Amino acid sequence: MRETSLENLITRSERLAEQNYSTYFVRVILVSLLGFLILGFAILMALIPLALLIGLVALTFVAGGAVLLILLKLGKLLILMILPAFLMLKASFKVLFSRFDKPVGTELTSDQAPALWQKIKSLETALAGPKISHVLLTHDINAAIIQYPRFGLFGWETNYLMLGLPLLQGLTEGEAMAVIAHEYGHLSGDHSRWSGFIYRLRSTWARLHDMASGWRDWGSRYVAKMFGWYAPYFNAYSFVLARKNEYQADHVSVKIAGVENTASALLRVHVLYQLEKECLHAHIQQRVATEPKPMQDKSAVWQSIVNQTLEPDTLHRYIDIAYTYETNHLDTHPAIKDRLKAIGVELETLKTLPRADNSTSAADAWLGPELPHFTHKLDQEWQSSIEQNWTARHQDIQAQTATLNELLAKETLTADEQWQVIAIKEDLTPDEPQRAAIEAFVQQYPEHLQGRYRVGVYKLLDDDETGIEDLEYVMAQDESAILAACEQAYHYYAAKNPARADEYLQRYQARANKLQAIHQELSTLTPAATLAKHDLDDATVQQIRAVIASDAKDIKRVYLLKRVLDADNTKGDYVLAFEMPTFSLTDPSNKVIERLVSKEFPIHLFIVSLKSGAFKPFRKRIKKLGVEPIYAKN
């Protein structure tokens, strides 16, 4: 499997880096150069036929009519040369000059935030790094530096510093500077320039891969396929270097902001994520239930949340959560406890954080009197982006509340109705755990799959391995639960029993690959498809027949078939194959298909013509299966 091979590649790279880092680093450089060779090859493949054509044209002008006569005789050959040359040249230009999406956010100028820009200039000088040209405020609890090439892949890069306003509201000025220094450390010359170059190249290849996945013409698909192989391979091989770069960026942060601010920032960002999850989302949920339109004071609500003094027990719980995170191959960022240890701080010693309400936040310090303007602007943007989902959720809550009241008014409830009550309560009041109700329900209905799954998860959270039995039972009864159940089992065994964890990872990947194969097969129909008699009920067939009869011009007979999937022969979809009158001056197959596709059928159908083309061989297979037409014109 592709995922497994990349995982193994990362593991081998880690082992090599531990044994001989210099050798690993040289190999990363060589692999990165391979990427440039791939780019060069794509361009060369476009230039060779183009150069031949230019040479032939030049030769015609020099040698005169004799060469022109030969070229006319080779007309078809020239066309065959021109087409791939054009397509490959087009693909090459896409690679070199396609514009990446510009970073999106609210511009923060030096006039609006002089204190911040002064800090940025000092940072650029201290680290001898590139210029930051733009600062954009966003809605996230995050910070990043994005390099935007102005003129394609090798264009002049502009550096954007992305700062989440909620992040600045929750950090002190020193902590925010530590975060910015970390991000800038990836660009600066403060540590190995080659290391920084590889770090940025990973981002470039990821964006190229992303962009190329949408290319559809022949030449571009060829280039996209090469990118699809190389980009994940390069990212996997350079994974160890990228992680090392994260540690190096943390040391840059210590150099600029000090170890105390760096450690405090690492922990506080984690705390902010927890506050967003437990407090802000809960507050929004309460407001959605009662207000049909998005709230207008999101930033003010968030500020009040981050200004609160955390109870010691709450802070310790958040630290315990942070301590459960392990460094893994899913993210180049190391676990917080490993990052703290690398700068000489133990996570267990961080039992206190400076109170946010006793310190000026970075938002206040850097935006000053402009802060109300930016909070209002970002709040308006957030309201606009969320309004549709907010309204839909509000209506859903009203409907669920009505359903819950109806169910609770009943004297007795079926098993499904009891589970529906639990599910609605859990959805409407997430701060009120339904664990006791779920466990009591499963005691009464041990074969209920959703209930057994939830009980299994609860047991694993309590470090009770018997929860695996519940998950295995659910997977055996319902294969759609395999991904979720294997993920839970993997996380449970990851630290306790890596071998068992790997077994569940393999099962997860096998299921994911199968679902992907099914999805790909369902998205198209090929002449080699496996066909069978349909198994639809008479009512559905009658509806299909009625739709055909309503517009049956140029249709003689129609057959309904089932396509059995090669990826899973227990699944399939349906094909409508039509015959046309025997004698016809033209072939109106495409027009008939267009008309039928525009109709509202009760199920999804592939519609093909049996008159000619790729699906003509279906005639013999229909006859062999003994399929009778569901529609025939008299």
Side-chain angles (χ1 to χ4, degrees):
M1 289 175 238
R2 179 69 165 157
E3 296 87 349
T4 304
S5 63
L6 294 176
E7 176 86 11
N8 292 337
L9 178 60
I10 294 173
T11 302
R12 292 197 304 272
S13 300
E14 286 177 328
R15 196 177 302 125
L16 175 61
E18 289 175 3
Q19 295 170 352
N20 192 327
Y21 185 78
S22 296
T23 300
Y24 164 73
F25 188 76
V26 170
R27 290 186 182 181
V28 172
I29 299 298
L30 293 175
V31 172
S32 70
L33 293 177
L34 173 62
F36 288 100
L37 288 176
I38 289 174
L39 289 172
F41 175 75
I43 296 168
L44 184 64
M45 290 299 291
L47 293 179
I48 288 176
L50 184 65
L52 288 173
L53 289 173
I54 293 173
L56 287 173
V57 172
L59 187 62
T60 301
F61 279 104
V62 173
V67 174
L68 181 61
L69 184 63
I70 294 173
L71 292 178
L72 290 174
K73 290 182 178 180
L74 297 175
K76 288 185 177 180
L77 179 61
L78 287 176
I79 292 173
L80 290 175
M81 291 176 64
I82 290 171
L83 183 60
F86 170 75
L87 291 174
M88 288 302 298
L89 192 63
K90 180 181 176 183
S92 300
F93 269 86
K94 276 186 178 180
V95 170
L96 291 175
F97 301 111
S98 285
R99 301 291 294 272
F100 295 120
D101 292 335
K102 252 187 175 181
V104 177
T106 299
E107 184 87 23
L108 189 60
T109 67
S110 56
D111 291 335
Q112 295 167 321
L116 171 61
W117 277 97
Q118 184 58 48
K119 293 281 187 183
I120 291 171
K121 298 303 178 187
S122 299
L123 184 64
E124 293 169 353
T125 302
L127 298 180
K131 177 184 177 183
I132 291 177
S133 301
H134 301 275
V135 176
L136 301 182
L137 287 178
T138 69
H139 300 275
D140 310 314
I141 302 176
N142 196 19
I145 290 182
I146 297 176
Q147 292 192 299
Y148 174 73
R150 299 179 186 177
F151 306 112
L153 178 61
F154 301 109
W156 186 13
E157 289 177 329
T158 304
N159 296 313
Y160 287 77
L161 173 60
M162 316 294 291
L163 291 175
L165 182 57
L167 178 72
L168 298 183
Q169 288 177 283
L171 299 180
T172 65
E173 187 177 9
E175 291 167 345
M177 202 61 224
V179 172
I180 294 173
H182 172 93
E183 297 303 326
Y184 193 76
H186 294 309
L187 302 184
S188 74
D190 200 62
H191 51 261
S192 168
R193 290 188 181 276
W194 267 111
S195 178
F197 171 74
I198 296 297
Y199 184 90
R200 295 189 293 276
L201 197 59
R202 283 170 56 87
S203 175
T204 299
W205 271 110
R207 286 188 287 175
L208 272 175
H209 186 202
D210 235 19
M211 183 173 62
S213 64
W215 295 346
R216 290 290 177 261
D217 59 81
W218 180 84
S220 299
R221 284 205 310 268
Y222 172 74
V223 174
K225 189 173 182 180
M226 288 194 294
F227 287 2
W229 168 80
Y230 176 75
Y233 179 85
F234 173 66
N235 277 351
Y237 205 93
S238 59
F239 185 93
V240 177
L241 189 63
R243 174 162 290 160
K244 182 180 177 66
N245 195 273
E246 293 295 340
Y247 284 119
Q248 291 172 330
D250 280 341
H251 283 288
V252 171
S253 183
V254 169
K255 175 181 177 180
I256 297 298
V259 67
E260 184 178 339
N261 279 324
T262 301
S264 181
L266 285 170
L267 182 57
R268 195 184 293 280
V269 170
H270 167 74
V271 169
L272 292 178
Y273 287 140
Q274 294 300 320
L275 289 175
E276 180 187 45
K277 179 181 176 181
E278 295 184 9
C279 300
L280 180 62
H281 289 174
H283 181 89
I284 290 175
Q285 176 79 354
Q286 292 172 358
R287 299 279 289 272
V288 172
T290 58
E291 301 174 20
K293 296 292 182 183
M295 63 189 199
Q296 300 180 359
D297 57 346
K298 175 176 174 283
S299 293
V301 169
W302 175 243
Q303 189 68 70
S304 68
I305 290 172
V306 299
N307 280 351
Q308 67 182 321
T309 301
L310 286 178
E311 295 294 332
D313 288 347
T314 302
L315 179 59
H316 294 168
R317 179 166 60 85
Y318 288 169
I319 292 175
D320 289 341
I321 292 173
Y323 199 82
T324 63
Y325 297 151
E326 299 289 341
T327 298
N328 55 53
H329 291 167
L330 301 177
D331 188 358
T332 56
H333 288 86
I336 185 172
K337 60 184 178 183
D338 294 328
R339 294 176 68 179
L340 289 170
K341 188 174 182 179
I343 61 173
V345 178
E346 290 294 335
L347 181 58
E348 297 92 326
T349 65
L350 290 173
K351 296 301 182 183
T352 61
L353 277 173
R355 285 179 53 179
D357 55 353
N358 285 346
S359 306
T360 302
S361 73
D364 284 316
W366 290 343
L367 301 182
E370 295 287 342
L371 180 56
H373 163 73
F374 284 107
T375 55
H376 178 68
K377 182 174 175 57
L378 266 68
D379 280 349
Q380 283 187 320
E381 291 175 0
W382 178 79
Q383 291 162 31
S384 177
S385 67
I386 204 73
E387 183 171 10
Q388 186 174 354
N389 289 338
W390 181 291
T391 302
R393 176 59 178 162
H394 174 78
Q395 294 172 349
D396 178 58
I397 289 174
Q398 300 302 309
Q400 286 199 75
T401 301
T403 300
L404 179 62
N405 291 334
E406 291 175 7
L407 290 171
L408 294 177
K410 291 185 175 183
E411 291 185 7
T412 58
L413 297 175
T414 66
D416 287 340
E417 287 174 334
Q418 290 180 49
W419 183 256
Q420 189 178 7
V421 167
I422 293 172
I424 292 175
K425 285 183 176 180
E426 193 168 46
D427 187 36
L428 296 183
T429 55
D431 55 332
E432 298 176 11
Q434 299 295 313
R435 177 171 181 171
I438 291 172
E439 290 175 338
F441 174 83
V442 171
Q443 285 287 330
Q444 188 176 1
Y445 302 102
E447 296 182 355
H448 192 277
L449 298 183
Q450 290 173 291
R452 281 288 291 273
Y453 172 81
R454 293 294 300 278
V455 167
V457 172
Y458 287 139
K459 288 179 180 178
L460 296 185
L461 290 174
D462 290 341
D463 204 20
D464 180 355
E465 193 173 6
T466 62
I468 295 295
E469 298 174 10
D470 294 296
L471 298 185
E472 288 288 357
Y473 174 83
V474 174
M475 288 190 285
Q477 302 298 318
D478 181 6
E479 62 181 8
S480 68
I482 290 175
L483 292 182
C486 283
E487 184 177 5
Q488 294 291 340
Y490 171 81
H491 287 303
Y492 175 75
Y493 283 121
K496 296 179 174 64
N497 188 336
R500 286 292 304 275
D502 189 60
E503 290 175 12
Y504 282 102
L505 178 62
Q506 297 290 337
R507 287 174 66 180
Y508 180 97
Q509 291 174 342
R511 178 62 182 169
N513 290 340
K514 183 176 181 178
L515 289 177
Q516 184 179 16
I518 291 172
H519 175 75
Q520 289 176 344
E521 197 171 350
L522 286 172
S523 66
T524 186
L525 179 70
T526 68
T530 302
L531 302 178
K533 290 184 176 181
H534 76 78
D535 53 5
L536 297 172
D537 58 75
D538 292 340
T540 302
V541 174
Q542 181 56 39
Q543 291 179 58
I544 295 172
R545 185 184 295 116
V547 173
I548 297 168
S550 68
D551 191 359
K553 182 183 177 183
D554 296 321
I555 296 176
K556 184 178 180 181
R557 281 184 289 267
V558 179
Y559 300 90
L560 180 60
L561 304 152
K562 181 175 182 179
R563 189 266 294 266
V564 180
L565 299 187
D566 294 330
D568 186 345
N569 60 18
T570 66
K571 292 180 170 57
D573 52 7
Y574 299 92
V575 179
L576 211 58
F578 62 88
E579 290 181 345
M580 306 177 70
T582 306
F583 300 103
S584 176
L585 296 176
T586 60
D587 183 0
S589 295
N590 290 337
K591 291 184 178 179
V592 174
I593 291 173
E594 288 176 6
R595 291 204 323 266
L596 291 177
V597 166
S598 68
K599 305 294 182 183
E600 289 287 339
F601 286 98
I603 59 171
H604 174 265
L605 294 164
F606 282 101
I607 301 172
V608 300
S609 170
L610 299 174
K611 182 176 177 62
S612 59
F615 296 101
K616 187 176 181 180
F618 276 14
R619 285 174 175 268
K620 292 183 179 179
R621 294 159 70 183
I622 289 171
K623 185 176 181 180
K624 186 176 180 180
L625 289 168
V627 175
E628 295 295 328
I630 65 166
Y631 173 86
K633 187 176 288 185
N634 296 327

